[in-house]
Coordinates of all heavy atoms in Angstrom, one line a residue:
P1383 N -16.6 -13.9 3.1 CA -17.5 -13.3 2.1 C -18.2 -14.3 1.2 O -19.1 -14.0 0.5 CB -16.6 -12.4 1.3 CG -15.3 -13.0 1.5 CD -15.3 -13.5 2.9
G1384 N -17.8 -15.6 1.2 CA -18.5 -16.6 0.4 C -17.9 -16.7 -1.0 O -17.0 -16.0 -1.4
E1385 N -18.5 -17.5 -1.9 CA -18.0 -17.8 -3.2 C -18.1 -16.6 -4.1 O -17.1 -16.0 -4.5 CB -18.7 -19.0 -3.8 CG -18.3 -19.4 -5.2 CD -17.0 -20.0 -5.3 OE1 -16.5 -20.4 -4.3 OE2 -16.4 -20.0 -6.4
K1386 N -19.3 -16.3 -4.5 CA -19.6 -15.1 -5.4 C -18.7 -15.0 -6.6 O -18.4 -13.9 -7.1 CB -19.5 -13.8 -4.5 CG -20.4 -13.7 -3.3 CD -20.2 -12.5 -2.6 CE -21.0 -12.4 -1.3 NZ -20.8 -11.2 -0.5
K1387 N -18.1 -16.1 -7.0 CA -17.2 -16.2 -8.1 C -16.0 -15.3 -7.9 O -15.3 -14.8 -8.9 CB -17.9 -15.7 -9.4 CG -19.1 -16.7 -9.8 CD -19.7 -16.2 -11.1 CE -18.8 -16.5 -12.2 NZ -19.4 -16.2 -13.5
L1388 N -15.6 -15.0 -6.7 CA -14.5 -14.1 -6.4 C -13.2 -14.6 -6.9 O -12.4 -13.9 -7.5 CB -14.4 -13.8 -4.9 CG -15.6 -13.1 -4.3 CD1 -15.4 -12.8 -2.8 CD2 -15.9 -11.8 -5.0
E1389 N -13.0 -15.9 -6.7 CA -11.7 -16.5 -7.1 C -11.6 -16.6 -8.6 O -10.5 -16.9 -9.1 CB -11.6 -17.9 -6.5 CG -11.5 -18.0 -5.0 CD -12.8 -17.9 -4.3 OE1 -13.8 -17.7 -4.9 OE2 -12.8 -17.9 -3.0
Q1390 N -12.6 -16.4 -9.3 CA -12.6 -16.5 -10.8 C -12.5 -15.2 -11.5 O -12.4 -15.1 -12.7 CB -13.8 -17.3 -11.3 CG -14.0 -18.7 -10.7 CD -15.3 -19.3 -11.1 OE1 -15.9 -19.0 -12.1 NE2 -15.7 -20.3 -10.3
D1391 N -12.6 -14.1 -10.8 CA -12.6 -12.8 -11.5 C -11.9 -11.8 -10.7 O -12.4 -11.2 -9.7 CB -14.1 -12.4 -11.6 CG -14.3 -11.2 -12.5 OD1 -13.3 -10.5 -12.7 OD2 -15.4 -11.1 -13.0
R1392 N -10.7 -11.4 -11.1 CA -9.8 -10.4 -10.4 C -10.5 -9.1 -10.4 O -10.5 -8.4 -9.4 CB -8.5 -10.3 -11.2 CG -7.6 -11.4 -11.1 CD -6.3 -11.1 -11.9 NE -5.4 -12.3 -11.8 CZ -4.4 -12.4 -10.8 NH1 -4.3 -11.5 -9.9 NH2 -3.6 -13.4 -10.8
R1393 N -11.2 -8.7 -11.4 CA -11.9 -7.4 -11.5 C -12.9 -7.3 -10.4 O -13.0 -6.2 -9.7 CB -12.5 -7.2 -12.8 CG -13.2 -5.8 -13.0 CD -13.8 -5.7 -14.4 NE -14.8 -6.8 -14.6 CZ -16.0 -6.7 -14.1 NH1 -16.4 -5.7 -13.3 NH2 -16.9 -7.7 -14.3
V1394 N -13.7 -8.4 -10.2 CA -14.7 -8.3 -9.1 C -14.1 -8.1 -7.8 O -14.6 -7.4 -6.9 CB -15.6 -9.6 -9.2 CG1 -16.6 -9.6 -8.0 CG2 -16.4 -9.7 -10.5
I1395 N -13.0 -8.9 -7.5 CA -12.3 -8.8 -6.2 C -11.8 -7.4 -6.0 O -11.9 -6.8 -4.9 CB -11.2 -9.9 -6.1 CG1 -11.8 -11.3 -6.1 CG2 -10.4 -9.7 -4.8 CD1 -10.8 -12.4 -6.0
R1396 N -11.1 -6.9 -7.0 CA -10.5 -5.6 -6.9 C -11.5 -4.5 -6.6 O -11.3 -3.5 -5.9 CB -9.6 -5.2 -8.1 CG -8.3 -6.0 -8.1 CD -7.6 -5.8 -9.4 NE -6.3 -6.5 -9.4 CZ -5.7 -6.9 -10.5 NH1 -6.2 -6.7 -11.7 NH2 -4.5 -7.5 -10.4
S1397 N -12.7 -4.6 -7.3 CA -13.8 -3.7 -7.1 C -14.3 -3.8 -5.7 O -14.5 -2.7 -5.0 CB -14.9 -4.0 -8.1 OG -16.0 -3.2 -7.8
R1398 N -14.4 -5.0 -5.1 CA -14.9 -5.2 -3.8 C -13.9 -4.6 -2.8 O -14.2 -4.0 -1.8 CB -15.2 -6.6 -3.5 CG -15.6 -7.0 -2.1 CD -16.9 -6.2 -1.7 NE -17.4 -6.6 -0.4 CZ -18.2 -5.8 0.3 NH1 -18.7 -4.7 -0.1 NH2 -18.6 -6.2 1.6
V1399 N -12.6 -4.9 -3.0 CA -11.5 -4.4 -2.2 C -11.6 -2.8 -2.1 O -11.4 -2.3 -1.0 CB -10.1 -4.8 -2.7 CG1 -9.0 -4.0 -2.0 CG2 -9.9 -6.3 -2.4
A1400 N -11.7 -2.2 -3.3 CA -11.8 -0.7 -3.3 C -13.0 -0.2 -2.5 O -12.9 0.8 -1.8 CB -11.9 -0.3 -4.7
Q1401 N -14.2 -1.0 -2.6 CA -15.3 -0.6 -1.8 C -15.1 -0.7 -0.3 O -15.5 0.2 0.5 CB -16.5 -1.4 -2.3 CG -17.8 -1.1 -1.5 CD -19.0 -2.0 -1.9 OE1 -18.9 -2.8 -2.8 NE2 -20.0 -2.0 -1.1
L1402 N -14.5 -1.8 0.1 CA -14.2 -2.0 1.5 C -13.3 -1.0 2.0 O -13.4 -0.5 3.2 CB -13.5 -3.4 1.7 CG -14.5 -4.6 1.5 CD1 -13.6 -5.9 1.5 CD2 -15.5 -4.6 2.6
R1403 N -12.3 -0.6 1.2 CA -11.3 0.5 1.7 C -12.1 1.8 1.9 O -11.8 2.6 2.8 CB -10.2 0.7 0.7 CG -9.2 -0.5 0.6 CD -8.0 -0.1 -0.2 NE -7.1 -1.3 -0.2 CZ -6.2 -1.6 0.7 NH1 -6.2 -0.9 1.9 NH2 -5.4 -2.6 0.6
R1404 N -13.0 2.1 1.0 CA -13.8 3.3 1.2 C -14.7 3.3 2.5 O -14.8 4.3 3.2 CB -14.7 3.6 0.0 CG -14.0 4.0 -1.3 CD -14.9 4.5 -2.4 NE -15.9 3.4 -2.8 CZ -15.6 2.6 -3.8 NH1 -14.5 2.7 -4.5 NH2 -16.5 1.7 -4.2
E1405 N -15.3 2.1 2.7 CA -16.1 2.0 3.9 C -15.2 2.1 5.2 O -15.6 2.7 6.2 CB -16.8 0.6 3.9 CG -17.9 0.6 2.8 CD -18.6 -0.8 2.8 OE1 -18.7 -1.4 3.9 OE2 -19.2 -1.2 1.7
L1406 N -14.0 1.5 5.1 CA -13.1 1.6 6.2 C -12.6 3.0 6.5 O -12.3 3.4 7.6 CB -11.9 0.6 6.1 CG -12.2 -0.9 6.3 CD1 -11.1 -1.7 6.0 CD2 -12.6 -1.1 7.8
E1407 N -12.5 3.8 5.4 CA -12.1 5.2 5.5 C -13.1 6.0 6.4 O -12.8 6.8 7.2 CB -11.9 5.8 4.2 CG -10.6 5.4 3.5 CD -10.5 6.0 2.1 OE1 -11.4 6.8 1.7 OE2 -9.5 5.7 1.4
D1408 N -14.4 5.6 6.1 CA -15.5 6.3 6.9 C -15.3 5.9 8.4 O -15.6 6.7 9.3 CB -16.8 5.8 6.4 CG -17.1 6.4 5.0 OD1 -16.5 7.4 4.6 OD2 -18.0 5.8 4.3
V1409 N -15.0 4.6 8.6 CA -14.8 4.1 10.0 C -13.6 4.8 10.7 O -13.7 5.2 11.8 CB -14.6 2.6 10.0 CG1 -14.2 2.1 11.5 CG2 -15.8 1.9 9.5
V1410 N -12.6 5.0 9.9 CA -11.4 5.7 10.4 C -11.7 7.2 10.8 O -11.3 7.7 11.8 CB -10.2 5.7 9.4 CG1 -9.1 6.6 9.8 CG2 -9.7 4.3 9.2
T1411 N -12.5 7.8 9.9 CA -13.0 9.2 10.2 C -13.7 9.2 11.5 O -13.5 10.1 12.4 CB -13.8 9.7 9.1 OG1 -13.1 9.7 7.9 CG2 -14.3 11.1 9.4
H1412 N -14.6 8.3 11.7 CA -15.4 8.2 13.0 C -14.5 8.0 14.2 O -14.6 8.6 15.2 CB -16.5 7.1 12.9 CG -17.2 6.9 14.2 ND1 -18.2 7.8 14.6 CD2 -17.2 6.0 15.1 CE1 -18.7 7.4 15.8 NE2 -18.1 6.3 16.1
R1413 N -13.5 7.1 14.0 CA -12.5 6.8 15.0 C -11.7 8.0 15.4 O -11.4 8.3 16.6 CB -11.6 5.6 14.6 CG -10.7 5.1 15.7 CD -9.7 4.1 15.2 NE -10.3 3.0 14.7 CZ -10.7 2.0 15.4 NH1 -10.6 2.0 16.7 NH2 -11.3 0.9 14.9
E1414 N -11.3 8.8 14.4 CA -10.6 10.0 14.7 C -11.4 11.0 15.5 O -10.9 11.7 16.3 CB -10.1 10.6 13.4 CG -9.0 9.8 12.7 CD -8.5 10.4 11.4 OE1 -9.3 11.3 10.9 OE2 -7.5 9.9 10.8
L1415 N -12.7 11.1 15.2 CA -13.5 12.0 15.9 C -13.6 11.6 17.4 O -13.6 12.4 18.3 CB -14.9 12.1 15.3 CG -15.0 12.8 13.9 CD1 -16.4 12.6 13.4 CD2 -14.7 14.2 14.0
T1416 N -13.8 10.3 17.6 CA -13.8 9.7 18.9 C -12.5 10.0 19.7 O -12.5 10.4 20.8 CB -14.1 8.2 18.9 OG1 -15.3 8.0 18.2 CG2 -14.2 7.7 20.3
R1417 N -11.4 9.9 18.9 CA -10.1 10.1 19.5 C -9.9 11.6 19.9 O -9.4 11.9 21.0 CB -9.0 9.7 18.6 CG -7.6 9.7 19.2 CD -6.5 9.4 18.1 NE -6.7 8.1 17.6 CZ -6.9 7.8 16.3 NH1 -6.8 8.8 15.4 NH2 -7.0 6.6 15.9
K1418 N -10.4 12.5 19.1 CA -10.3 13.9 19.4 C -11.2 14.2 20.6 O -10.8 15.1 21.4 CB -10.8 14.7 18.2 CG -9.8 14.7 17.0 CD -10.3 15.5 15.9 CE -9.3 15.5 14.7 NZ -9.8 16.3 13.5
G1419 N -12.3 13.5 20.8 CA -13.1 13.7 22.0 C -12.3 13.3 23.2 O -12.4 14.0 24.2
R1420 N -11.6 12.2 23.1 CA -10.8 11.8 24.3 C -9.7 12.8 24.5 O -9.4 13.1 25.7 CB -10.2 10.4 24.0 CG -11.2 9.3 23.9 CD -10.6 8.0 24.1 NE -9.6 7.6 23.1 CZ -9.8 6.9 22.0 NH1 -11.0 6.4 21.8 NH2 -8.8 6.6 21.2
E1421 N -9.0 13.3 23.5 CA -7.9 14.2 23.6 C -8.4 15.5 24.2 O -7.7 16.2 25.0 CB -7.2 14.4 22.3 CG -6.5 13.2 21.7 CD -6.0 13.4 20.3 OE1 -6.4 14.5 19.7 OE2 -5.2 12.6 19.8
A1422 N -9.6 15.9 23.9 CA -10.2 17.1 24.5 C -10.3 17.0 26.0 O -10.3 18.1 26.7 CB -11.6 17.4 23.9
G1423 N -10.4 15.8 26.5 CA -10.5 15.7 28.0 C -9.1 15.7 28.6 O -9.0 15.7 29.8
D1424 N -8.0 15.7 27.8 CA -6.7 15.7 28.4 C -6.3 14.6 29.3 O -5.6 14.8 30.3 CB -6.4 17.1 29.0 CG -6.4 18.2 28.1 OD1 -5.8 18.1 27.0 OD2 -7.0 19.3 28.3

């Protein structure tokens, strides 16, 4: 991710971590839909 003063500011890092987790939750939702499509094929 680069410098972005991340190592100097805990708040900035935690905010970015929270954002990444939200984005990954969307990915997980998409993955679950794909998995359900596979399961439908038995």
Side-chain angles (χ1 to χ4, degrees):
E1385 177 72 19
K1386 301 180 185 176
K1387 298 183 68 175
L1388 297 181
E1389 292 83 358
Q1390 303 173 21
D1391 193 338
R1392 289 179 181 270
R1393 181 181 58 80
V1394 173
I1395 295 182
R1396 285 171 176 157
S1397 176
R1398 178 59 178 160
V1399 166
Q1401 179 184 350
L1402 289 172
R1403 290 192 181 280
R1404 288 193 297 270
E1405 293 181 25
L1406 282 173
E1407 285 178 3
D1408 293 337
V1409 174
V1410 170
T1411 300
H1412 176 73
R1413 186 187 296 279
E1414 289 177 350
L1415 290 174
T1416 303
R1417 186 184 301 125
K1418 287 180 180 178
R1420 295 199 300 263
E1421 291 173 351
D1424 292 316

